[in-house]
Amino acid sequence: MSLRYALLALLSVEPMTGYDLSKRFESSVAYVWHAPDSQIYPELRRMEKDGLLAGEEIPWGPNSKKTQYRITAEGIAAFREWMNTPLEYSRERDPVHLKAAYLEWADHDSAMAHMQAHIDYHTLRREQWAGMIEELRTGTNVMLAKRLAATPEPDRRRTTEFKIFTYEGLVARAETEIEWGRRGLELIDLLDGASGVGSGPLAPGSGPVL
Ligand code: VNL
C-alpha cells in the first residue's frame, strides 16, 4: 500500500509515463521502497481508477501511444493525508534473526556463510545509500533536481535535508548490521572451537542432542 504514496511523491513533481516513472523510481525512491515494474504498472492503473491520477494518451513514436499520468487534486490530498497519519508498526518477521537464533543447527561453514552474506549485503547497501547522500548533497540526483526546480526557494532546504536524513539513518542501520555480522563470525568461531564442533565435517545427525 505504501507503493502508491511513493508514486504520488514522484508524480507531485511532474506528469510522467509509466516508463519514465519506473526509471525515475529506480534512481530515487527505490532506495527506500523496492518495487518491481510488475507492481508499479498495475498500481498506476488502480490509482487512476481511484481518482488519484489522471491518465492521458500521448503519442509515442510515429504510430504508438503511451499513458502519461498526472497527479490530481485528490492525489495531492491523499498524499498529504498519508503524511499526516501515524504509521502502524508491524511486528518483525525477519528470517535472518530467526536463523541466527538457531545457528546451533547449522554446520560451521553454513553458519559462517550466513553471517558473511549478511555483512556483504549490508556493505553493498551502505555504499549505495552513501552514494545517494553524495548525489543529494551535490545536486546530481535528477529526481531531486527536478523537485527543487519546482519548489519555492524557502522550502528547498527541508526538501533536501529530509532526504539526506533518511539515508543517514539507513547508512547507520547498515553499519550496525555489519558490526553484528562480524560479531556473529567471531561468536561462531569461539563457540564451535570450544565444543570441538566445526573442526571437521559433522556426521549426519550429530547436531544438538534432542
Ligand atoms: C527523491 C530523490 C527521493 C532522491 C529519494 O528517495 C531520492 C525525490 C526517497 O526527490 O523524490 O533518493
Side-chain angles (χ1 to χ4, degrees), residues 58 62 78 90 102 129 144 148 168 174 185:
I58 59 160
S90 1
Y102 298 103
W129 287 322
L144 181 63
L148 290 176
E168 284 173 346
L185 289 177

Side-chain angles (χ1 to χ4, degrees), residues 86 95 101 157:
R157 182 155 176 238

Side-chain angles (χ1 to χ4, degrees), residues 6 9-13 24-25 27-33 129 132-133 135-136 141-148 159 162-164 166-167:
L10 299 190
L11 287 165
S12 69
V13 172
R24 195 67 65 70
F25 191 97
S27 52
S28 60
V29 75
Y31 282 65
V32 300
W33 194 267
W129 287 322
M132 179 57 78
I133 292 176
E135 285 184 23
L136 296 170
N141 182 268
V142 176
M143 185 64 223
L144 181 63
K146 298 231 180 219
R147 186 181 297 286
L148 290 176
T159 298
F162 285 133
K163 286 161 198 62
I164 293 172
T166 297
Y167 289 104

